[in-house]
Amino acid sequence: RDGHVYKTVRFGKQVWMAENLKYVNDSLRWYSCPDSLPVSVPCDSFGYLYWRGNYDFPDCPPGMHLPTNSDLSYLIANATSAGIRSTDDWVDSHGNVKKGTNAFGFSILPQKKGSVTYWIDNSSMTVLVINTDKISTFKLGSFDFGNERYPIRCLMNEVPATIVKSVPYCKVQGDNQCEYGELIDERDGKTYKTITIGNQTWMAENLNYEFQDTSLFNACYDNFESLCQKYGRLYDFNAAQKACPAGWHLPDTLEWCLLKRLADNGFGMTDHLENGYGFDVLIGGNYQSDKKKFVNNDRFVEFWTSSASDYHSQDVRYNISMEYDWDGARFGLVNVSNGAYVRCVKDGSQHPLPG
């Protein structure tokens, strides 16, 4: 329509524009450049804000569409705010610098201090809100056609066949060509398989180190020692952050995001990473401290990250969970006294993302 070329980014089963829409024509009367942008972000870099009038709203480029609620459910479940925000210009409502990691390559810029709001499909008065701590949808309670102006991100109707995985499978149709390494934990002599995916080296098994300190929760599922041999050990957060052997550490959300993107953005992690990359995820459940109960070893598995939330108490930390019948891996906040598994990543494994 206007010859403008946009960068795109693959996100699992979706391909999004990696820039905001910049399309204008003579019929679009109500569009503007944000007046609250940081000085370092010119309007032609950010894109335009659009008014949502009945006859004054731009279409996405051919072959693309405005995100639907279903599209956004997929995004919200599988990404973190930091992972899609740019590495520059983000400051929260209190004036604190809260740069994103841009681990997924979306390069989201703030529209105003600490947040940006996006239009979604025309059938809904719902918007997508991204701030320094979360991604969420919000139903506009009152809709003022004169004042509401937001940017637009489109995504492709179909993922082109030419877009390939970031890292090729090493397991294909049962043929395991994965090159495993070996980690010997000098504390107890246990040996673990390791796997390198991209530039990251991870344990390919769950940690099974037993603390003798009774103040640190670490237990086998249902307290059966045989299940420690199968699944590894469940730890509370205090134990998890001390559990990795020397030279290895508890990964943060950025390192999990890097893994998700390197391994086809991580979607289908319980399938692709088990059957395609040698990561070998097992559905081992978790421990719920409020119920003092081991649960869900037939449904999903949870792993600790080292990351805290900027806007929640120190009693919660991010974990990442995977379900046996769900094509994805999602982050969540859980109480530090809960029990989850640990996968350690080798020190120095974090490298810039592939293009």
Side-chain angles (χ1 to χ4, degrees), residues 95-162:
N96 302 311
V97 175
K98 298 291 183 182
K99 293 182 179 181
T101 64
N102 201 31
F104 292 115
F106 276 67
S107 303
I108 299 290
L109 294 165
Q111 174 184 345
K112 55 185 179 180
K113 184 180 287 187
S115 70
V116 62
T117 301
Y118 283 94
W119 289 120
I120 68 171
D121 73 277
N122 286 319
S123 64
S124 172
M125 290 299 115
T126 304
V127 291
L128 172 69
V129 180
I130 301 164
N131 62 33
T132 52
D133 193 52
K134 63 182 179 180
I135 317 166
S136 58
T137 55
F138 176 69
K139 187 84 170 178
L140 291 174
S142 60
F143 191 72
D144 186 341
F145 284 106
N147 293 326
E148 304 288 356
R149 290 181 177 87
Y150 300 130
I152 289 173
R153 285 283 178 112
C154 305
L155 67 162
M156 289 186 179
N157 298 339
E158 297 180 358
V159 177
T162 54

Side-chain angles (χ1 to χ4, degrees), residues 279-318:
F279 199 73
D280 296 336
V281 173
L282 295 175
I283 303 302
N286 65 343
Y287 177 78
Q288 294 181 355
S289 58
D290 58 339
K291 299 178 181 178
K292 300 187 184 311
K293 188 176 182 181
F294 298 90
V295 293
N296 300 315
N297 77 325
D298 60 343
R299 290 182 51 214
F300 63 82
V301 61
E302 293 183 348
F303 295 97
W304 282 115
T305 83
S306 62
S307 299
S309 166
D310 293 328
Y311 295 96
H312 295 84
S313 76
Q314 294 301 300
D315 292 334
V316 295
R317 285 292 191 279
Y318 279 104

Side-chain angles (χ1 to χ4, degrees), residues 3-310:
H4 197 97
V5 178
Y6 294 93
K7 295 178 182 177
T8 59
V9 59
R10 170 80 184 267
F11 188 75
K13 63 183 181 183
Q14 300 173 335
V15 176
W16 288 75
M17 289 170 53
E19 308 171 58
N20 296 341
L21 190 67
K22 303 178 178 70
Y23 177 68
V24 297
N25 61 29
D26 292 340
S27 68
L28 293 174
R29 295 167 297 156
W30 298 102
Y31 64 89
S32 64
C33 181
D35 57 13
S36 57
L37 287 176
V39 174
S40 61
V41 183
C43 190
D44 59 357
S45 294
F46 183 88
Y48 290 104
L49 305 181
Y50 298 95
W51 175 62
R52 193 167 193 163
N54 289 333
Y55 304 102
D56 199 51
F57 197 64
D59 293 324
C60 287
M64 305 190 83
H65 64 274
L66 282 169
T68 63
N69 283 313
S70 175
D71 294 328
L72 295 180
S73 294
Y74 188 79
L75 175 69
I76 292 169
N78 292 287
T80 61
S81 168
I84 66 173
R85 289 189 287 109
S86 68
T87 56
D88 299 304
D89 301 309
W90 282 88
V91 178
D92 70 12
S93 57
H94 303 291
N96 302 311
V97 175
K98 298 291 183 182
K99 293 182 179 181
T101 64
N102 201 31
F104 292 115
F106 276 67
S107 303
I108 299 290
L109 294 165
Q111 174 184 345
K112 55 185 179 180
K113 184 180 287 187
S115 70
V116 62
T117 301
Y118 283 94
W119 289 120
I120 68 171
D121 73 277
N122 286 319
S123 64
S124 172
M125 290 299 115
T126 304
V127 291
L128 172 69
V129 180
I130 301 164
N131 62 33
T132 52
D133 193 52
K134 63 182 179 180
I135 317 166
S136 58
T137 55
F138 176 69
K139 187 84 170 178
L140 291 174
S142 60
F143 191 72
D144 186 341
F145 284 106
N147 293 326
E148 304 288 356
R149 290 181 177 87
Y150 300 130
I152 289 173
R153 285 283 178 112
C154 305
L155 67 162
M156 289 186 179
N157 298 339
E158 297 180 358
V159 177
T162 54
I163 296 181
V164 297
K165 301 176 179 65
S166 299
V167 176
Y169 290 161
C170 57
K171 285 184 180 180
V172 180
Q173 296 180 348
D175 181 17
N176 188 350
Q177 298 297 322
C178 301
E179 296 183 5
Y180 293 101
E182 184 177 85
L183 164 64
I184 300 175
D185 190 340
E186 295 180 355
R187 298 170 298 180
D188 58 10
K190 288 190 175 74
T191 301
Y192 300 91
K193 290 190 300 183
T194 65
I195 189 72
T196 297
I197 301 175
N199 290 317
Q200 294 181 303
T201 300
W202 290 75
M203 291 175 57
E205 306 173 62
N206 297 345
L207 188 66
N208 185 20
Y209 175 71
E210 183 177 5
F211 286 100
Q212 300 304 314
D213 184 348
T214 56
S215 68
L216 299 172
F217 175 83
N218 60 123
C220 305
Y221 191 91
D222 271 346
N223 293 312
F224 289 129
E225 183 64 30
S226 62
L227 294 184
C228 265
Q229 302 303 317
K230 180 177 181 180
Y231 297 126
R233 194 168 290 269
L234 290 156
Y235 301 90
D236 65 16
F237 179 74
N238 288 333
Q241 63 182 338
K242 301 174 182 179
C244 290
W248 297 71
H249 62 273
L250 186 67
D252 60 17
T253 52
L254 172 57
E255 288 167 306
W256 278 105
C257 284
L258 289 170
L259 176 66
K260 283 159 68 72
R261 183 173 176 189
L262 286 166
D264 195 16
N265 292 324
F267 299 98
M269 189 169 284
T270 57
D271 178 17
H272 293 173
L273 287 187
E274 179 180 3
N275 298 322
Y277 296 101
F279 199 73
D280 296 336
V281 173
L282 295 175
I283 303 302
N286 65 343
Y287 177 78
Q288 294 181 355
S289 58
D290 58 339
K291 299 178 181 178
K292 300 187 184 311
K293 188 176 182 181
F294 298 90
V295 293
N296 300 315
N297 77 325
D298 60 343
R299 290 182 51 214
F300 63 82
V301 61
E302 293 183 348
F303 295 97
W304 282 115
T305 83
S306 62
S307 299
S309 166
D310 293 328

